[in-house]
Amino acid sequence: MPTLVMKFGGTSVANLDRIRRAAKRVGVEVAKGYDVIVIVSAMSGKTNELVGWVNETSPLFDAREYDAVVSSGENVTAGLMALTLQEMNIPARSWQGWQVPLLTNSAHSQARIEEIPTDNINAKFGEGMKVAVVAGFQGLTPEGRIATLGRGGSDTTAVAFAAAFDAERCDIYTDVDGVYTTDPRICAKAKKLDRIAFEEMLELASLGAKVLQTRSVELAMRYKVKLRVLSSFEEQSDEAGTLVCDEDEIMESNVVAGVAYSRDEVQMTARSVADRPGIAAIIFGTLSDAGVNVDMIVQDISEDGRTNMTFSLPVDQVSRAEKAMGAIKGTEINYDDLVTDTEVAKVSVVGIGMRSQSGVAAKMFKVLSDEGINIKVITTSEIKISVLVDRKYMELAVQALHDAFELDKAA
Ligand code: ASP
Ligand code: MG
């Protein structure tokens, strides 16, 4: 039998009615002849509640116990989904991560999947079970403890199962009907895409389009798992949602597939840093040791042996960064002062078409300048151009770029 993986996110299993509705969708696929592996999230809001309880009990918590607590939400929905399917006369049973077992490394709260043996579940399919309901987000460490895969980790569970069982497709049911050219909340002309390439999705996911956990997209790309994102609230055809797939499967792609943004960025400049070999290593080594995720970096051209070093980071890491930079001020780095601007945002255009078509950056800068938006920092990769702008212009920048690259005509 061909295998299909269906993942239901928190809003799709938020209460018993929704679990019933999701189970009906599963029934449709079973009727088509699939062996189905269902991956469930916790009911929406549940994991946040559990995390809150852990923090309240023990601010510097033992990560192994954090995992013991926060993994429990998925156990409930897995059992309820199996019961619901049984009530519909569909042979189903639930599996917690350790029962599969989904084997992870020991990095509690951020564990990585090492292996998913398929024999236990396949044996049950052989005995006539039609649906294996698996608790997402959790696995078993070499030490025999429960580990979780990081917030949003059920997506990664789903893709990993699809790879391990060589599934025909991995359908991710969520509360939006697909992947959009940009966030419809800030750009009314945003369009749902029928298809998007893995690499584009990877950029969009890591830039903050929260439909899929970034690691799930990395995994799908590595194992060529066909991923489909679709809504569990609408009647579905086989063509519904957005297919995240290999670029070869996209006939005609736009140069730009989407415009992404990240609202809460900070720009920091260390002014008049001694310009010697090794200073960047010291500054960014120090920041990284302090747990600061530096994103964009620009070094000015140097004058009289001094230069400015500008970089960006998320807003909630400002005090950590300032403390770390303060600690090296008097050392050989010996910069004059640190200037922090907490009112910036990052706007990016993403598309694999940029590899072969030139002029995208020039067009982006022209569009922003026509709107009177000043660019503070620029970075580029093969398929992405990002700029830092004043936060108050972020929405305008997204809308203007969406118009200029004619994404309202995308499909
Ligand atoms: N329930 C977990 C979370 O909220 C995992 C998931 O739903 O993907 O992060
Ligand atoms: Mg999610």
Side-chain angles (χ1 to χ4, degrees), residues 300-328:
D300 286 358
I301 134 172
S302 91
E303 252 178 80
D304 304 326
R306 317 289 295 180
T307 186
N308 298 323
M309 192 71 89
T310 298
F311 48 92
S312 72
L313 55 140
V315 139
D316 56 1
Q317 297 178 0
V318 173
S319 40
R320 236 185 283 169
E322 284 176 339
K323 192 162 161 231
M325 289 299 291
I328 54 168

Side-chain angles (χ1 to χ4, degrees), residues 41-42 47 74 137 151-155:
S41 286
T47 309
E74 274 73 7
F137 182 50
R151 297 306 306 273
S154 297
D155 294 335

Side-chain angles (χ1 to χ4, degrees), residues 28 30 91 96 149 178 182 192 233 237 267 270 291 309 328 375:
V28 170
V30 169
Q96 295 183 5
L149 308 178
T182 194
K192 181 180 79 70
F233 300 106
S237 69
Q267 176 182 338
M309 192 71 89
I328 54 168
I375 300 171

Side-chain angles (χ1 to χ4, degrees), residues 59 64 95 134 164 178 264 268 308:
R64 291 163 299 191
W95 305 75
V134 178
D264 298 312
M268 265 187 196
N308 298 323

Side-chain angles (χ1 to χ4, degrees), residues 8 18 42 47 51 74 108-109 116 137 146 150 175 181 237 251 273 278 311 318 321 325-326 349-350 354 366:
F8 293 95
R18 296 213 181 145
T47 309
V51 170
E74 274 73 7
H108 281 279
S109 84
I116 303 180
F137 182 50
I146 306 298
D175 50 3
T181 50
S237 69
M251 296 285 279
V273 183
F311 48 92
V318 173
M325 289 299 291
V349 298
V350 172
M354 282 183 215
K366 173 86 169 54

